C-alpha cells in the first residue's frame, strides 16, 4: 500500500472513532434521555440544547431524572429569571423518597429588578432540614449561564457555583451524627411562586404583570452511580462498597475527593467572608443551642 493509501486508511479509522465517540450516550446525553417533566408538562419547554421552565399565574412546573443515584455529581448550567422575579423560587436539587428522605437543595430566591438574587442551600438528613445558608452571588445570574453542581460521596456533600465551593456538609458519623449515604436520590428542578417567604421575608409579592417567569437550562449532566440496576443490597454494595464498577474506581470516591483541596478551601473561605448573608449555625434566635453538626 502506498503513502496515500495508508493516509486514507488512517483518516477512515479516525473518522469512525470520532463518530463512535459522538454517538456515545455518555458523551452527549440529551434531556429526554436523563429527565422527564414531573408536573405541568406544558410549562416545560425543550428544543435542542435548551430547556425552559415557565411560571405564570396558573402554575409552575418541574422536571425529574428518570433514574436515581447513590453518590456522584450532578451539574446544570442555569440562566435565572431576568428582570423582576420577586416572589419566585427556582430550585435545583437532589432528593430521595419518603418522610425520612435525604435532600440537597439549591434554591434561587427571586428579587426586584436590580436587587441581588440570593442562593439558599439546605440539607435534609432522615427528613430533618432547617440547615439553611444563603449566599449572594458575585455576578448577575440572569444575564448568562452559570454552572451549579452538587458533589456527593461518602465523606462530604459539596455545593459548587462555577466549580467554586460555596458550602460543604461533612460526614461526622464518628461523632454520632447521621450522614446521607444510604438512600438513592433523584435529580430535580422546578419553579414556583413562594411570595409568602422568598423575597425579603415575604414582604415583596409576585408581580404577575411580569409573567411568565422563565428559567433556562443547558448542559444538564449526571455523572453518578445509577441505582435500580440490580437488587437493592447489590446496588448499595456496588455504589458505596469498594467504589468500583467494571474494574474502575468511581472518581468521586477517590481519596483526593474526600475533602476540599487547599485551593478549594481558600475559595470557600472567600465566599463565606464576602458573600455569606445567612448561616443557620450562627442563628442563636432559632437555635439557642448550636446544632451539633455546626461544631468544629
Amino acid at each position: 500500500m502506498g503513502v496515500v493509501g495508508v493516509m486514507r486508511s488512517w483518516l477512515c479509522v479516525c473518522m469512525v472513532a470520532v463518530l463512535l465517540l459522538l454517538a456515545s450516550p455518555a458523551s452527549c446525553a440529551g434531556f429526554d434521555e436523563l429527565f422527564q417533566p414531573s408536573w405541568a408538562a406544558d410549562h416545560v419547554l425543550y428544543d435542542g440544547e435548551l430547556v425552559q421552565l415557565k411560571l405564570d399565574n396558573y402554575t409552575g412546573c418541574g422536571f425529574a431524572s428518570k433514574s436515581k443515584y447513590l453518590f456522584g455529581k450532578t451539574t446544570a448550567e442555569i440562566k435565572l429569571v431576568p428582570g423582576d422575579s420577586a416572589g419566585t423560587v427556582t430550585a435545583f436539587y437532589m432528593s430521595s423518597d419518603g418522610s425520612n428522605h435525604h435532600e440537597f437543595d439549591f434554591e434561587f430566591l427571586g428579587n426586584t429588578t436590580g436587587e441581588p438574587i440570593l442562593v439558599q442551600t439546605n440539607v435534609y438528613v432522615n427528613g430533618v432540614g432547617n440547615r439553611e445558608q444563603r449566599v449572594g452571588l458575585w455576578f448577575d445570574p440572569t444575564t448568562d449561564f452559570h454552572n451549579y453542581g452538587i458533589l456527593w460521596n461518602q465523606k462530604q456533600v459539596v455545593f459548587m457555583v462555577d466549580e467554586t465551593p460555596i458550602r460543604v456538609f461533612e460526614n461526622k458519623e464518628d461523632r454520632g451524627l447521621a450522614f446521607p449515604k444510604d438512600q438513592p436520590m433523584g435529580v430535580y428542578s422546578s419553579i414556583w411562586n413562594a411570595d409568602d417567604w422568598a423575597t425579603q421575608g415575604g414582604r415583596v409579592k409576585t408581580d404577575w404583570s411580569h409573567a411568565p417567569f422563565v428559567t433556562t437550562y443547558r448542559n444538564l449532566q449526571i455523572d453518578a452511580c445509577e441505582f435500580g440496576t440490580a437488587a437493592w443490597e447489590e446496588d448499595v454494595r456496588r455504589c458505596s462498597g469498594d467504589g468500583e464498577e467494571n474494574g474502575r474506581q468511581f472518581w468521586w470516591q477517590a481519596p483526593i475527593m474526600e475533602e476540599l483541596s487547599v485551593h478549594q478551601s481558600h475559595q470557600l473561605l472567600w465566599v463565606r467572608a464576602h458573600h455569606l448573608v445567612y448561616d443557620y449555625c450562627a442563628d442563636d434566635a432559632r437555635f439557642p443551642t448550636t446544632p451539633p453538626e455546626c461544631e468544629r
Side-chain angles (χ1 to χ4, degrees):
M1 181 182 295
V3 173
V4 174
V6 171
M7 291 185 66
R8 283 177 178 167
S9 297
W10 178 82
L11 286 171
C12 210
V13 170
C14 288
M15 289 179 66
V16 170
V18 170
L19 289 173
L20 288 173
L21 179 62
L22 291 176
S24 169
S27 64
C28 51
F31 176 80
D32 280 339
E33 295 176 72
L34 294 176
F35 297 94
Q36 59 191 3
S38 55
W39 57 290
D42 61 333
H43 282 50
V44 181
L45 312 174
Y46 49 98
D47 182 18
E49 69 166 337
L50 298 182
V51 181
Q52 293 186 322
L53 297 187
K54 183 175 70 172
L55 166 68
D56 56 26
N57 56 2
Y58 175 69
T59 185
C61 62
F63 62 78
S65 62
K66 294 181 177 180
S67 298
K68 288 185 168 56
Y69 306 88
L70 187 63
F71 305 124
K73 186 178 183 182
T74 183
T75 58
E77 294 181 10
I78 304 174
K79 183 162 62 174
L80 295 174
V81 176
D84 187 343
S85 60
T88 71
V89 171
T90 296
F92 177 60
Y93 62 105
M94 298 185 70
S95 181
S96 57
D97 298 327
S99 58
N100 293 322
H101 72 292
H102 304 327
E103 186 173 332
F104 314 139
D105 297 335
F106 274 110
E107 292 178 315
F108 303 93
L109 312 184
N111 216 332
T112 53
T113 303
E115 294 298 316
I117 290 179
L118 300 180
V119 178
Q120 175 170 285
T121 59
N122 201 353
V123 176
Y124 285 74
V125 182
N126 295 327
V128 178
N130 296 324
R131 296 180 173 94
E132 300 92 346
Q133 291 184 2
R134 291 185 181 182
V135 169
L137 293 170
W138 48 96
F139 51 82
D140 184 347
T142 71
T143 59
D144 204 353
F145 290 94
H146 290 268
N147 187 285
Y148 303 91
I150 301 170
L151 169 68
W152 174 33
N153 59 34
Q154 297 185 74
K155 295 297 183 180
Q156 59 181 357
V157 179
V158 185
F159 295 83
M160 300 180 179
V161 176
D162 290 334
E163 294 302 316
T164 295
I166 66 167
R167 179 176 185 174
V168 177
F169 186 79
E170 299 175 345
N171 184 330
K172 297 183 178 179
E173 290 179 302
D174 58 343
R175 304 186 193 178
L177 303 178
F179 183 78
K181 67 174 190 179
D182 57 351
Q183 299 179 26
M185 304 174 79
V187 180
Y188 304 88
S189 194
S190 58
I191 185 171
W192 76 93
N193 178 43
D195 64 5
D196 57 332
W197 66 271
T199 305
Q200 299 180 31
R203 291 189 295 273
V204 181
K205 303 300 181 181
T206 303
D207 183 349
W208 293 108
S209 69
H210 295 294
F213 302 98
V214 178
T215 298
T216 306
Y217 304 73
R218 70 182 185 191
N219 200 21
L220 290 148
Q221 295 187 6
I222 302 174
D223 188 359
C225 184
E226 186 173 357
F227 211 84
T229 61
W232 181 282
E233 295 79 5
E234 184 178 336
D235 271 341
V236 170
R237 184 168 55 252
R238 177 175 56 86
C239 291
S240 61
D242 56 13
E244 294 185 1
E245 184 175 44
N246 299 325
R248 297 183 299 109
Q249 184 181 52
F250 292 127
W251 65 266
W252 56 83
Q253 303 284 33
I256 195 173
M257 303 304 298
E258 293 182 349
E259 60 183 6
L260 298 184
S261 67
V262 173
H263 176 63
Q264 289 175 319
S265 296
H266 291 164
Q267 288 179 312
L268 180 61
L269 288 172
W270 173 80
V271 170
R272 293 187 63 84
H274 299 283
H275 298 283
L276 183 68
V277 298
Y278 175 80
D279 184 357
Y280 78 105
C281 288
D283 191 338
D284 296 334
R286 285 180 66 196
F287 305 101
T289 301
T290 303
E293 69 271 13
C294 298
E295 298 175 355
R296 304 305 299 178

